[in-house]
Amino acid sequence: MQDKILRITTTTLIVGVDVAKEDHWCRITDCRGVDLIKPFRIYNNINGFEILTRNIIKCRDKNKLSKVIVGMEPSGHYWKALGWHLKLNENIDELVGVNPYHVKKSKELDDNSPTKSDKKDAQTIARLIRDGRYFDVYLPEDVYAELRVLTNTRSQYLKKKKSAKCALIAVLDEYFPEYEKTFKNLLGKTSTYILRHYPLPGDIVNLKLEQLANKLYNASNGKEGIKRAKTLHEAAEQSVGVREGTESIKIKIDCLLDEIEFMDKKLEKIEKMMEAKMADTELNEYFESMKGIGAVISAVFLGEIGDVSRFDNWKQVRRLAGLNLAEQSSGKHKGKTKITKRGRPMLRNILYLAGVTTVNHNSEMRQLYSYLLKRPSNQLKKNQALIAVGLKVMRIMFYMAKNKEKYDANKALGEARIKQIQELSAA
């Protein structure tokens, strides 16, 4: 934080912008927080952006200031058009962001009032910048911008697919609650066939056992037969599902399956694009040299962090993910240490997934996972261990990208950790 405060000098012009969909409120102040011009509103168009630029230049030159720093809350998407305009403007020296939570909590410091207005928020943003409570805004470019968009789009379609699947489960809970016990993989090929053609207990009961077995055999390419047919038939006969509204519910089930199928096609298209863009980064060969790391994990990782060269060490990426540790202690009380989760949720998610896949496919990460579960002190639970492995994978990926090196199994765990694992195995 001290470094950020030192970036604000007596020759710095500070601009706080409270962004919205159609218009933004702006406050231009000096390093003391004193307004250099009356607060003004600009519209979210080229004319508004030019008005802001003119006012900045006017105040800078009039007050003989040499540096311009502009800050805003980079939440949602309304700020991005203005952000790019300012980033490309030669009159703007630095573009920074402030945490919306900090704005909310500190807005009463000046007037001791909980009142909220866009004009007041712009002032709060400017004063947070003055106090060094800001962060540098990163706007990805070129292939990293492409990966960021693909990552966000993939996440949106995954959420939609999950929502449709939850709706399907809710329907079955009402009309055929025994179905999920018969098929563990609800969206598997055989299950999907049954849901398409015989979704309700009555439909299955009306079929003879041999007919049902034959249909299951054909739908599963010979993997299922009379055994599954008996289980499903018995479940249908004993079902306590609702019997009314069955014609309409069949249409709903069919529509939900259509929706899930549509999402799967879109996800396949997005992931193919991700693979192609990863090839453009020339980092895919390094990442994928590690067993368990594929094109999608690599693409989401880079889509979330951007150009690796902007980081000095892996701890900065850990903080970006919100996986840095926080401790609640006071006096003699020592609280539990937890991850902060103050960061990019998709990055945390993909690192957890990287932990899962590498434990399944990478022998070094599997050894680490086993050690974390069984070590003599501070044993971790399964999910905690997977997060820890995901962090280790992050460090390895960061190192590979920084140094343009492929995965080396001999370097993966380090001598100290290998010794600990060997001692545990020998005990």
Side-chain angles (χ1 to χ4, degrees):
M1 182 173 171
Q2 186 175 352
D3 174 63
K4 294 175 182 176
I5 294 174
L6 293 174
R7 284 157 64 179
I8 308 296
T9 68
T10 55
T11 60
T12 302
L13 181 79
I14 300 172
V15 184
V17 183
D18 184 70
V19 298
K21 182 175 181 177
E22 296 181 354
D23 51 36
H24 316 305
W25 272 94
C26 310
R27 302 287 287 256
I28 301 179
T29 74
D30 61 13
C31 65
R32 300 166 298 172
V34 177
D35 284 322
L36 300 179
I37 190 175
K38 185 178 179 181
F40 59 96
R41 180 174 65 180
I42 62 168
Y43 291 102
N44 193 30
N45 54 39
I46 188 61
N47 292 329
F49 294 174
E50 288 176 351
I51 290 171
L52 173 59
T53 303
R54 285 198 298 269
N55 284 339
I56 288 173
I57 295 171
K58 179 181 175 182
C59 289
R60 182 194 64 188
D61 295 344
K62 181 181 178 181
N63 294 276
K64 297 180 180 180
L65 302 174
S66 60
K67 181 180 179 181
V68 176
I69 180 169
V70 182
M72 60 190 77
E73 297 173 285
S75 56
H77 59 275
Y78 298 140
W79 68 278
K80 290 185 178 179
L82 177 60
W84 270 108
H85 180 83
L86 294 170
K87 180 179 179 178
L88 299 173
N89 192 312
E90 61 183 9
N91 294 292
I92 308 302
D93 297 291
E94 291 189 44
L95 178 65
V96 301
V98 296
N99 192 317
Y101 183 77
H102 294 169
V103 175
K104 180 180 179 181
K105 288 296 181 181
S106 58
K107 67 182 179 182
E108 296 184 32
L109 293 177
D110 294 318
D111 59 5
N112 195 33
S113 171
T115 57
K116 173 179 168 39
S117 68
D118 296 336
K119 189 188 298 187
K120 181 179 176 181
D121 284 352
Q123 181 187 46
T124 303
I125 290 167
R127 294 191 176 178
L128 285 169
I129 296 169
R130 176 198 64 185
D131 297 336
R133 304 180 191 281
Y134 62 87
F135 55 88
D136 294 310
V137 169
Y138 174 67
L139 290 168
E141 301 178 40
D142 301 323
V143 68
Y144 298 105
E146 301 286 353
L147 288 172
R148 175 68 63 86
V149 173
L150 287 169
T151 296
N152 290 333
T153 307
R154 179 177 177 272
S155 177
Q156 290 167 358
Y157 276 100
L158 283 172
K159 288 178 182 177
K160 290 177 182 178
K161 179 183 176 180
K162 183 178 179 181
S163 177
K165 183 179 178 181
C166 288
L168 179 61
I169 291 171
V171 169
L172 292 174
D173 287 343
E174 184 177 354
Y175 282 84
F176 197 170
E178 301 80 9
Y179 187 85
E180 279 191 273
K181 295 177 182 178
T182 307
F183 287 99
K184 290 184 179 180
N185 184 4
L186 187 64
L187 299 178
K189 186 177 179 181
T190 309
S191 175
T192 301
Y193 172 83
I194 294 297
L195 290 174
R196 287 281 192 192
H197 299 89
Y198 310 99
L200 299 180
D203 301 323
I204 294 170
V205 170
N206 289 336
L207 289 173
K208 291 181 179 180
L209 191 60
E210 294 76 14
Q211 288 179 304
L212 181 59
N214 187 51
K215 293 182 182 299
L216 287 170
Y217 184 85
N218 292 331
S220 64
N221 293 325
K223 295 179 181 179
E224 301 286 357
I226 191 66
K227 185 177 178 180
R228 178 78 69 177
K230 285 180 179 179
T231 304
L232 185 58
H233 210 274
E234 288 175 6
E237 288 179 330
Q238 298 172 13
S239 178
V240 294
V242 175
R243 296 290 191 270
E244 301 299 325
T246 53
E247 289 186 26
S248 299
I249 212 65
K250 287 181 183 180
I251 293 175
K252 183 173 183 177
I253 290 173
D254 202 51
C255 289
L256 288 170
L257 290 172
D258 285 344
E259 189 175 346
I260 292 169
E261 185 179 333
F262 175 80
M263 299 303 167
D264 282 336
K265 288 180 180 178
K266 294 302 178 186
L267 285 167
E268 183 181 357
K269 182 178 180 180
I270 292 165
E271 289 173 1
K272 282 183 179 178
M273 186 71 165
M274 282 180 157
E275 190 173 352
K277 292 299 176 184
M278 273 305 301
D280 293 340
T281 68
E282 298 181 354
L283 293 174
N284 59 327
E285 62 175 307
Y286 304 113
F287 290 150
E288 292 178 38
S289 65
M290 183 179 185
K291 289 183 179 180
I293 301 299
V296 173
I297 289 178
S298 303
V300 175
F301 180 70
L302 288 183
E304 286 293 285
I305 72 169
D307 190 350
V308 179
S309 64
R310 71 190 185 98
F311 298 102
D312 296 322
N313 60 68
W314 66 270
K315 291 181 181 179
Q316 293 172 305
V317 181
R318 182 181 67 181
R319 181 173 289 276
L320 180 66
L323 289 171
N324 51 307
L325 298 176
E327 181 183 314
Q328 298 292 332
S329 298
S330 178
K332 295 182 179 180
H333 171 72
K334 186 173 178 63
K336 290 184 178 180
T337 301
K338 299 180 179 179
I339 58 174
T340 63
K341 293 189 178 181
R342 297 282 181 89
R344 300 188 69 85
M346 274 192 284
L347 182 53
R348 286 198 301 276
N349 180 268
I350 205 64
L351 290 175
Y352 175 82
L353 181 61
V356 173
T357 58
T358 52
V359 165
N360 289 332
H361 298 96
N362 185 289
S363 60
E364 293 77 39
M365 295 304 108
R366 194 179 306 117
Q367 289 176 53
L368 175 61
Y369 175 71
S370 179
Y371 170 77
L372 293 172
L373 293 176
K374 300 175 183 177
R375 62 187 177 184
S377 61
N378 192 28
Q379 292 180 356
L380 300 182
K381 296 179 181 178
K382 289 184 178 180
N383 278 346
Q384 292 175 322
L386 287 171
I387 292 171
V389 173
L391 273 170
K392 182 65 176 179
V393 173
M394 178 201 74
R395 292 178 65 178
I396 294 171
M397 291 179 72
F398 180 81
Y399 180 87
M400 289 192 292
K402 269 284 194 180
N403 297 282
K404 302 293 189 296
E405 289 184 20
K406 290 187 177 182
Y407 179 75
D408 186 343
N410 297 320
K411 294 181 180 179
L413 296 178
E415 292 181 5
R417 184 68 78 188
I418 290 172
K419 185 179 179 181
Q420 290 174 333
I421 293 171
Q422 289 174 345
E423 288 175 351
L424 182 64
S425 300

